[in-house]
Amino acid sequence: MAALEKVLERIDDNQEQALARLFQLLAIKSVSTDPAYTDDCVKAGQFLVDQLQELGFEAGLRPTAGHPIVVGKAKAARPDVPHVLFYGHYDVQPADPLELWQTPPFEPRLAEPEPSHKIIVARGATDDKGQLMTFVEACRAFKETGDFPCNITILFEGEEESGSPSLPGFLAENKAELKADLALICDTGMWDRKTPAITTMLRGLVLEEVVIHGATRDLHSGMFGGAVVNPIHVLSKIIADLHDAEGHVTLPEFYEGVTELPKDVAKQWRELPFDEHHFLKDVGVSIPVGEKDRSVLEMIWSRPTCDVNGIIGGYTGKGSKTVLPAQASAKFSFRLVGQQKPEKVAESFRAFVLERLPADCKAEFISHGASPALQLPFSSEVLSRARRALQAEWGKEAVLAGSGGSIPIVGAFKQDLGMDSLMVGFGLDDDRAHSPNEKYELSSFHKGTRSWARILNALAL
Ligand code: BES
Ligand code: MN
Ligand code: MN
């Protein structure tokens, strides 16, 4: 039997144990943004180090100013094979609101919403623990049946969901150790449950927080209201100004560096069976609010955006309180595409706010990170090999997709380590990533593992 066949058979025979290992990881509450879970983040990192060591990787937990980074290294038996760097993140988003979960978020379970359709339910199931374990399990099958087909370095971080503050520095300090021929990433989605996708475009992200200060203290709105500036009003007006009636973002020079799709890609996207109405209906809405002259797929895959993610100010408790607040704040995110420069967007935004500040108001700015958009060259040899491997596993051509989401470190892989990233993931739009009742298809876990075995094999040929 050929080596790959043995590996695939091993994966099939090992499904129950693989699921048990994933459940162990899912039970660890590795919420990166909340200091209450610092120990759990270490635990999740250590669990992965143990897994990798079991597979013969030279692996360790590397400290950072934040949560530790897992690095593991393994060599192929053959000398002339490519060196890949696999990246994933073991941290997860906070599980709240808890009351909306059908079962506790860190008690993973297998559910069967309809006959012969099984799903894994837990925080992190699809983002990113289930996904990263597809790669680890593929490595396990290689190890248990023979040798690794490529030289493999594994890099798991524990701060992706908080914007990866420690990773860029870690990459810079350990360049020689981490540089490979290609980065592999399993943190994106499929086209649908039966159709794989390779994500060739990933949006960048600029995260900005603004605090508007007015009076020196909260005031009685009867005694001072009408005469004293209200920071919530100021903030609301700035927010309202950020889009025009056509859905464009109004920041000066915001669209500089935004490129149009290559003709053939635009054509492929138009021909994809994507039902805008159904996509919107699924989340309870009906009319797209983005740029009027763009399709919904473009809006989420290849156009830049500005969103307010949260507003805080004044009295938000029960009942009412006649207060004139001294400050108001909001959190903004900008998704970037093409050659848009994260620093320029942040600068333009700050200037935009300052220009609109009335007398007696001050603005305070807090940056929560910035990363550029990414584009994999459509002509790359790696892409054709991955396409063939996915075709063999799923019996269907992989969609060359864009992605609305962002993975902050991917830009640094390209800029600082000169590596392209091959992004193949098995998540679905209805996986409820970041939401209550997050799930991962059992078929994604199983066939995702088989897909990585095929991809690694194809890269080494
Ligand atoms: N896995 C996602 C990125 C993603 C989302 C890829 C959707 C493909 C489709 C990642 O974990 C994520 O959530 N990224 C954040 C960025 C971050 C700084 C919190 C995002 O995109 O909002
Ligand atoms: Mn993720
Ligand atoms: Mn995420």
Side-chain angles (χ1 to χ4, degrees):
M1 205 187 324
L4 177 63
E5 290 307 314
K6 270 198 221 149
V7 171
L8 296 174
E9 197 178 286
R10 184 75 189 185
I11 292 170
D12 293 351
D13 292 344
N14 245 331
Q15 289 182 70
E16 242 171 76
Q17 296 89 321
L19 192 63
R21 287 186 284 267
L22 172 58
F23 275 25
Q24 275 183 280
L25 179 60
L26 288 170
I28 306 172
K29 302 174 180 174
S30 47
V31 178
S32 58
T33 198
D34 185 344
Y37 300 102
T38 301
D39 292 349
D40 299 270
C41 288
V42 176
K43 237 191 248 169
Q46 189 58 50
F47 173 84
L48 289 166
V49 168
D50 295 345
Q51 288 289 305
L52 295 179
Q53 284 176 345
E54 229 177 274
L55 304 185
F57 277 68
E58 191 191 302
L61 208 52
R62 312 273 285 263
T64 71
H67 303 305
I69 292 173
V70 176
V71 179
K73 280 172 258 175
K75 280 221 170 322
R78 270 173 53 197
D80 52 340
V81 294
H83 179 190
V84 296
L85 174 80
F86 181 82
Y87 163 86
H89 62 94
Y90 66 72
D91 65 319
V92 300
Q93 289 274 337
D96 61 278
L98 285 177
E99 64 278 12
L100 295 185
W101 285 79
Q102 279 158 13
T103 51
F106 296 101
E107 291 174 22
R109 66 186 166 101
L110 205 56
E112 200 166 354
E114 61 228 38
S116 67
H117 172 202
K118 293 204 172 83
I119 58 175
I120 301 160
V121 184
R123 170 54 89 230
T126 187
D127 191 9
D128 182 36
K129 291 171 171 173
Q131 300 244 66
L132 71 83
M133 285 301 276
T134 58
F135 191 84
V136 175
E137 290 298 333
C139 289
R140 181 179 288 274
F142 278 109
K143 169 74 180 173
E144 291 178 352
T145 56
D147 305 307
F148 298 118
C150 301
N151 295 317
I152 302 173
T153 301
I154 285 186
L155 176 70
F156 292 140
E157 71 157 318
E159 300 184 312
E160 195 273 348
E161 300 291 11
S162 329
S164 304
S166 307
L167 193 51
F170 186 82
L171 275 194
E173 275 163 34
N174 301 282
K175 243 185 199 172
E177 185 186 357
L178 297 172
K179 161 116 184 78
D181 300 314
L182 173 73
L184 303 176
I185 298 175
C186 191
D187 196 22
T188 52
M190 302 187 28
W191 171 252
D192 61 31
R193 211 198 303 169
K194 303 217 158 116
T195 317
I198 301 175
T199 297
T200 57
M201 308 166 76
L202 191 73
R203 290 198 290 190
L205 188 58
V206 170
L207 298 171
E208 286 281 316
E209 183 172 344
V210 181
V211 190
I212 307 281
H213 298 275
T216 49
R217 57 190 164 87
D218 281 3
L219 301 168
H220 189 300
S221 70
M223 294 167 70
F224 293 92
V228 171
V229 65
N230 185 327
I232 299 183
H233 299 185
V234 174
L235 185 60
S236 317
K237 186 145 179 2
I238 293 172
I239 293 172
D241 277 354
L242 277 165
H243 292 89
D244 68 14
E246 269 70 53
H248 303 110
V249 177
T250 53
L251 284 191
E253 289 161 41
F254 182 68
Y255 290 93
E256 220 166 75
V258 176
T259 40
E260 288 300 324
L261 288 176
K263 283 216 169 56
D264 50 329
V265 180
K267 178 165 180 286
Q268 197 204 28
W269 287 14
R270 272 196 307 276
E271 285 165 1
L272 285 172
F274 181 77
D275 182 341
E276 298 195 347
H277 177 72
H278 184 265
F279 175 80
L280 296 174
K281 190 168 168 236
D282 205 40
V283 293
V285 299
S286 57
I287 312 281
V289 298
E291 296 165 282
K292 296 252 181 296
D293 47 346
R294 301 287 171 175
S295 71
V296 168
L297 216 47
E298 282 179 284
M299 287 176 192
I300 53 176
W301 280 2
S302 66
R303 297 299 296 172
T305 64
C306 161
D307 270 296
V308 182
N309 303 119
I311 309 188
I312 309 161
Y315 181 69
T316 56
K318 289 209 169 73
S320 67
K321 178 182 179 188
T322 52
V323 64
L324 199 165
Q327 68 173 64
S329 67
K331 292 171 188 286
F332 297 83
S333 59
F334 298 88
R335 300 278 172 179
L336 309 187
V337 302
Q339 311 299 320
Q340 277 181 299
K341 297 244 177 318
E343 323 77 56
K344 280 197 120 180
V345 169
E347 230 170 79
S348 173
F349 171 65
R350 289 174 179 211
F352 186 91
V353 172
L354 290 175
E355 264 164 34
R356 283 162 182 76
L357 275 190
D360 296 328
C361 278
K362 279 199 197 70
E364 184 190 338
F365 296 100
I366 304 154
S367 164
H368 292 288
S371 58
L374 205 91
Q375 172 73 63
L376 181 71
F378 284 104
S379 57
S380 88
E381 166 66 18
V382 159
L383 192 57
S384 7
R385 288 181 189 220
R387 289 173 84 169
R388 283 198 295 276
L390 288 169
Q391 159 87 42
E393 176 60 28
W394 298 85
K396 270 183 152 186
E397 187 72 31
V399 172
L400 298 188
S403 169
S406 310
I407 306 173
I409 202 59
V410 182
F413 284 166
K414 179 77 191 173
Q415 278 172 5
D416 302 342
L417 298 191
M419 293 186 292
D420 278 323
S421 292
L422 177 68
M423 292 176 277
V424 180
F426 308 97
L428 295 183
D429 285 343
D430 72 356
D431 275 353
R432 296 184 285 275
H434 297 197
S435 300
N437 305 305
E438 179 177 347
K439 58 100 171 155
Y440 196 43
E441 301 283 318
L442 186 62
S443 60
S444 286
F445 185 50
H446 177 53
K447 286 175 78 65
T449 303
R450 289 173 53 100
S451 299
W452 282 120
R454 290 185 190 273
I455 291 172
L456 283 174
N457 192 65
L459 290 176
L461 289 177

